[in-house]
Amino acid sequence: GQNIDQPTEMTATEGAIVQINCTYQTSGFNGLFWYQQHAGEAPTFLSYNVLDGLEEKGRFSSFLSRSKGYSYLLLKELQMKDSASHLCAVRDSNYQLIWGAGTKLIIKP
Amino acid sequence: ETGVTQSPTHLIKTRGQQVTLRCSSQSGHNTVSWYQQALGQGPQFIFQYYREEENGRGNFPPRFSGLQFPNYSSELNVNALELDDSALYLCASSLEFSGAGANVLTFGAGSRLTVL
């Protein structure tokens, strides 16, 4: 079966750095996405990786290792508004998105 | 540029009833996908429509059906509602259905369905 694993919850301090890990086992691979979802709101796109390596976009970076089935999302200079669920999703061989359950990130002052 | 809009935002139904949820895709997008998101879980793919044809379906029974219209708006219909159908239903639009590039999804705010 297809599976995406990520921690259920993480806590970090405002201004700090946090890394959210994601491991996956899917039927094929056509890209990995990170989305952010605030409570009661729609998911919004953060990053996309299809090749191994690091993609940087402002305060957010995402890393991919296809051989290890592993990705992480790195958030720097944490702000209170980063408190949200962070979802990892993999596009499989049928170009369907398989989603993790999300990592609830709690930012403390 | 308008985003994705969904209606209704909340609704309550009873077991055995039928429901229709609606979605207007973002201007310029021709692909719509629907997801079911239970509380505390990630979205589960229901199906996708590209130019009015279903071109992908997740592990959902036939009582989940849909339509896409010429203006690329879409409907999700669920028949014979069950208690487990209670969830947030998300609609997302994108420019193309396949994997050339990021093909970022733009989500609507969702329709929260409660089945009693």
Side-chain angles (χ1 to χ4, degrees):
Chain A
Q2 307 203 89
N3 198 50
I4 310 278
D5 285 318
Q6 49 182 131
T8 304
E9 187 175 294
M10 298 183 72
T11 302
T13 305
E14 191 176 15
I17 300 173
V18 71
Q19 177 175 311
I20 303 174
N21 295 325
C22 169
T23 57
Y24 63 89
Q25 291 176 306
T26 56
S27 302
F29 178 85
N30 283 296
L32 184 144
F33 297 79
W34 285 95
Y35 279 78
Q36 183 185 66
Q37 186 177 25
H38 288 93
E41 297 183 11
T44 55
F45 170 76
L46 289 179
S47 70
Y48 168 72
N49 295 72
V50 67
L51 299 176
D52 290 350
L54 189 68
E55 293 286 339
E56 297 186 84
K57 196 176 177 182
R59 293 191 301 116
F60 300 148
S61 303
S62 57
F63 172 82
L64 173 67
S65 169
R66 288 172 296 170
S67 63
K68 295 182 179 177
Y70 168 70
S71 172
Y72 67 72
L73 177 69
L74 193 71
L75 295 86
K76 304 174 188 174
E77 301 169 14
L78 286 169
Q79 302 174 9
M80 297 303 293
K81 68 178 182 179
D82 297 327
S83 293
S85 180
H86 294 78
L87 298 154
C88 173
V90 173
R91 190 162 55 202
D92 69 8
S93 56
N94 293 320
Y95 294 98
Q96 292 181 10
L97 278 179
I98 311 300
W99 296 78
T103 298
K104 183 180 179 181
L105 179 61
I106 299 169
I107 308 298
K108 295 187 174 179
Chain B
E1 176 180 279
T2 58
V4 176
T5 57
Q6 293 187 242
S7 63
T9 54
H10 296 81
L11 70 165
I12 299 173
K13 293 283 188 176
T14 56
R15 273 186 305 176
Q17 284 189 310
Q18 180 267 344
V19 68
T20 297
L21 307 179
R22 296 179 174 83
C23 172
S24 295
S25 57
Q26 180 168 309
S27 175
H29 285 182
N30 57 18
T31 303
V32 172
S33 49
W34 285 90
Y35 295 84
Q36 181 193 68
Q37 187 176 26
L39 202 60
Q41 298 297 315
Q44 298 291 316
F45 175 70
I46 302 175
F47 45 56
Q48 176 174 274
Y49 281 83
Y50 172 64
R51 295 185 177 178
E52 302 177 59
E53 297 283 333
E54 183 183 297
N55 76 337
R57 189 177 182 94
N59 190 26
F60 280 82
R63 61 189 184 85
F64 286 77
S65 63
L67 284 172
Q68 187 181 31
F69 300 101
N71 65 355
Y72 303 128
S73 65
S74 177
E75 285 183 356
L76 164 66
N77 299 290
V78 187
N79 294 322
L81 284 167
E82 301 177 359
L83 296 180
D84 285 349
D85 295 333
S86 295
L88 180 68
Y89 288 85
L90 293 165
C91 169
S93 73
S94 57
L95 186 55
E96 294 288 343
F97 74 89
S98 67
N103 192 31
V104 172
L105 298 178
T106 301
F107 282 89
S111 294
R112 183 162 297 282
L113 171 65
T114 302
V115 182
L116 302 176

